[in-house]
Amino acid sequence: KYFDDSQYMYEAFWTNPLDYFKMLFGVDCHSEHFNSHYFNNMSNWVRSYDNGLFNDNRLVIRVNAFLRLFSFGNYHVHSIILSYLAFMGSFALAKVFFEVSKSKFLSYIAVFLVPSVVFWSSGILKEAILLSAMGSRNKKVIVILNNPTSDAVK
């Protein structure tokens, strides 16, 4: 789904690098040129319905297009990288829960043994990115709250 759509952006890196970076960063890529050459070929860039919320499909397609520079289109490399990011986010969340509950056992159960979290964060999906960002942000907030004069605030 997202991995397949990222192929169109990745191909632009070799044929027209300026287009690739415009699409990657979302800058000045709303013209008919981009629609006809790239976006119309993608299955998930534009939703078939609009519920008024942010279209997060584009973020995952962009992340996969960036990762293709290092993975050379290997699906398993993407899966490992995103699973690693999800694990690091989960581990950071476990540390946050430990700071709050003071129970390492309950913290690890709450984070690592919830079946839906394990399932949804284990693939090339937006939840892996979300879990990574949420864990690192919450860990940073706990560090700031525990020590407001630390270097984390600066």
Side-chain angles (χ1 to χ4, degrees):
K1 181 174 169 172
Y2 306 121
F3 178 78
D4 297 334
D5 284 353
S6 69
Q7 176 67 30
Y8 297 106
M9 284 181 66
Y10 175 70
E11 288 172 356
F13 179 77
W14 301 108
T15 58
N16 192 345
L18 185 60
D19 282 356
Y20 171 80
F21 287 108
K22 283 182 177 182
M23 288 185 290
L24 188 67
F25 296 113
V27 176
D28 196 30
C29 64
H30 306 291
S31 67
E32 186 57 38
H33 166 75
F34 288 96
N35 286 335
S36 63
H37 285 85
Y38 308 108
F39 301 147
N40 289 342
N41 297 327
M42 296 181 189
S43 303
N44 299 294
W45 187 262
V46 178
R47 288 185 180 170
S48 58
Y49 60 91
D50 184 21
N51 57 6
L53 299 176
F54 178 71
N55 184 355
D56 47 5
N57 295 349
R58 295 177 183 184
L59 172 68
V60 183
I61 293 169
R62 287 176 173 138
V63 167
N64 279 302
F66 177 72
L67 290 178
R68 277 183 181 267
L69 296 174
F70 309 104
S71 71
F72 303 108
N74 189 327
Y75 182 87
H76 302 293
V77 173
H78 289 243
S79 182
I80 288 171
I81 291 171
L82 289 174
S83 292
Y84 173 76
L85 289 174
F87 174 76
M88 294 308 294
S90 296
F91 191 70
L93 272 179
K95 287 183 174 184
V96 169
F97 291 165
F98 176 71
E99 287 290 324
V100 173
S101 70
K102 302 301 180 200
S103 172
K104 191 176 279 191
F105 179 73
L106 291 176
S107 299
Y108 287 149
I109 285 178
V111 173
F112 292 111
L113 293 181
V114 176
S116 61
V117 173
V118 173
F119 176 76
W120 287 109
S121 65
S122 63
I124 301 181
L125 299 169
K126 56 191 120 179
E127 285 76 16
I129 298 168
L130 174 71
L131 191 58
S132 174
M134 187 172 60
S136 60
R137 185 206 61 207
N138 288 343
K139 179 65 177 145
K140 186 62 91 172
V141 167
I142 288 294
V143 167
I144 290 171
L145 290 177
N146 287 341
N147 190 4
T149 60
S150 72
D151 291 336
V153 178
K154 297 176 183 176

